[in-house]
């Protein structure tokens, strides 16, 4: 695997990290792979490590080229700057598709919470758009302007860069209102116990997809609090509430869904063939 890092800002604050699996003669049928670009959550205030590299490595193990975008947060996110950065990251992956061994029309974005909002936004509004969306407990709907002001909604204030905004301003962020007949296929999951981003967020998005007759798959797991990530003990930071074997099935389901949209790996019934001399010669050349 080749690790790459590209700074999207001069000071390195915005960074694209790639986990590139290099071609191998033993795996010649998958020299080029679909890609998954991951947006960690954190309420546009910080970026969660639990929803970044571990997710990238999980998808890498399933045969995807994977990337993590550390996008602008806090005061740097004003003017919905993360949307421009997400679009630029997709353009970069397509531009370097040959070098990074990516199938350019098989790029999915995977976002969590606020990162799910960003993934959905770039799919529906971005200049450069992905081919599929994986949205994990995504924030979708921030309601009316007066309601948001009364609640002092920090995400809205962060992304708009102001506290005095109109309904037109906030509707840019209410993503269920932007679903069109060009919306990419979406895999959406959440939990019924999520009290931070309640299930109505994703339900409104699903309703928009259904109204436009766009393909989607939707899962609501009964149990599990907000921020489960892969719902595995290694990512739980010692908290039992962050581990749920049933909700953890979202990942396997998303991989199957991606394969059904991008195409299954071709496997044929043929006899075993292995040229030891050819492989030994290839590795000897690499070592030189």
């Amino acid at each position: 695997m080749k690790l790459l890092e590209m700074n999207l800002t001069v000071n390195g604050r915005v960074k694209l990290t790639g986990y590139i699996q290099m071609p191998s003669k033993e795996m010649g049928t998958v020299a080029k792979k679909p890609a998954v670009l991951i947006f960690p959550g954190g309420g546009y205030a910080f970026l969660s490590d639990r929803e970044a590299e571990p997710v990238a490595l999980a998808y890498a193990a399933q045969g995807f080229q994977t990337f993590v975008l550390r996008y602008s947060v806090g005061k740097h996110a004003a003017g919905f700057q993360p949307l421009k950065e997400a679009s630029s990251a997709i353009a970069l992956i397509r531009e370097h598709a040959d070098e990074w061994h990516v199938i350019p029309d098989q790029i999915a974005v995977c976002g969590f919470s606020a990162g799910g909002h960003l993934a959905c936004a770039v799919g529906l509004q971005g200049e450069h758009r992905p081919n599929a969306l994986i949205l994990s407990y995504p924030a979708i709907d921030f309601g009316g302007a007066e309601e948001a002001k009364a609640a002092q909604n920090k995400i809205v204030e962060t992304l708009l860069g102001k506290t005095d905004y109109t309904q037109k301003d906030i509707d840019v962020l209410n993503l269920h209102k932007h679903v069109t007949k060009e919306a990419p296929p979406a895999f959406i999951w959440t939990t019924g116990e999520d009290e931070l981003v309640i299930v109505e967020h994703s339900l409104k998005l699903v309703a928009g997809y259904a109204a436009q007759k766009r393909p989607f798959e939707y899962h609501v797991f009964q149990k599990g609090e907000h921020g489960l990530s892969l719902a595995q003990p290694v990512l739980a930071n010692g908290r039992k509430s962050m581990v749920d074997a049933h909700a953890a099935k979202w990942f396997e389901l998303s991989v199957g869904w991606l394969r059904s949209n991008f195409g299954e790996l071709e496997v044929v019934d043929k006899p075993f063939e292995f040229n030891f001399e050819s492989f030994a010669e290839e590795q000897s050349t690499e070592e030189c």
Side-chain angles (χ1 to χ4, degrees):
M1 178 177 286
K2 177 181 178 181
L3 181 67
L4 65 87
E5 291 188 340
M6 295 187 70
N7 292 326
L8 303 190
T9 53
V10 175
N11 59 7
R13 179 175 45 78
V14 177
K15 183 180 295 184
L16 180 67
T17 303
Y19 304 82
I20 308 301
Q21 300 171 75
M22 305 304 288
S24 164
K25 188 176 289 188
E26 288 184 83
M27 297 180 287
T29 58
V30 288
K32 275 196 168 187
K33 299 175 172 64
V36 179
L37 170 61
I38 294 151
F39 305 137
Y44 289 109
F46 73 101
L47 296 172
S48 170
D49 290 334
R50 297 174 54 257
E51 298 166 344
E53 184 173 81
V55 181
L57 295 179
Y59 278 112
Q62 295 298 321
F64 297 88
Q65 304 291 25
T66 56
F67 302 83
V68 174
L69 179 66
R70 293 195 170 272
Y71 53 89
S72 291
V73 295
K75 64 181 181 181
H76 302 290
F80 208 175
Q81 185 63 27
L83 175 57
K84 302 168 190 172
E85 295 160 358
S87 179
S88 295
I90 292 169
L92 268 175
I93 295 170
R94 288 206 174 106
E95 179 184 343
H96 293 271
D98 288 339
E99 178 186 352
W100 295 345
H101 311 290
V102 167
I103 302 172
D105 60 353
Q106 294 186 10
I107 298 175
V109 291
C110 173
F112 298 81
S113 191
H117 180 266
L118 178 57
C120 187
V122 76
L124 301 179
Q125 300 171 310
E127 178 184 357
H128 303 280
R129 302 187 183 188
N131 305 102
L133 313 178
I134 300 171
L135 309 177
S136 303
Y137 38 91
I140 297 296
D141 176 32
F142 297 102
E146 297 309 314
E147 175 189 7
K149 288 177 186 177
Q152 293 184 308
N153 193 303
K154 296 301 182 186
I155 292 181
V156 172
E157 294 176 4
T158 294
L159 293 180
L160 295 180
K162 54 187 177 182
T163 57
D164 183 19
Y165 45 83
T166 66
Q167 188 63 49
K168 184 177 179 181
D169 291 329
I170 200 172
D171 277 346
V172 172
L173 309 179
N174 288 334
L175 299 180
H176 60 290
K177 298 186 176 184
H178 297 274
V179 181
T180 68
K181 295 191 181 301
E182 286 72 48
F187 178 96
I188 307 159
W189 75 277
T190 188
T191 67
E193 293 183 343
D194 191 332
E195 296 181 355
L196 188 58
V197 178
I198 59 176
V199 73
E200 280 79 3
H201 279 257
S202 51
L203 282 172
K204 288 184 177 182
L205 182 64
V206 166
Y209 263 74
Q212 294 293 336
K213 295 182 169 53
R214 296 302 298 149
F216 69 89
E217 183 167 321
Y218 183 44
H219 298 272
V220 182
F221 296 95
Q222 179 180 339
K223 297 183 179 296
E225 66 178 70
H226 186 77
L228 283 178
S229 182
L230 295 172
Q232 300 288 351
V234 70
L235 299 177
N237 201 19
R239 296 181 59 216
K240 188 175 182 180
S241 61
M242 283 294 178
V243 181
D244 191 292
H246 185 56
K249 294 177 182 177
W250 78 264
F251 178 77
E252 180 182 354
L253 290 168
S254 76
V255 171
W257 178 83
L258 281 173
R259 293 296 183 202
S260 72
N261 280 272
F262 288 166
E264 297 287 346
L265 297 177
E266 184 179 358
V267 181
V268 297
D269 187 13
K270 64 179 183 179
F272 175 76
E273 295 178 359
F274 194 89
N275 187 327
F276 287 91
E277 292 183 359
S278 174
F279 280 88
E281 181 180 347
E282 178 187 35
Q283 293 191 5
S284 176
T285 303
E286 290 175 356
E287 291 172 1
C288 292

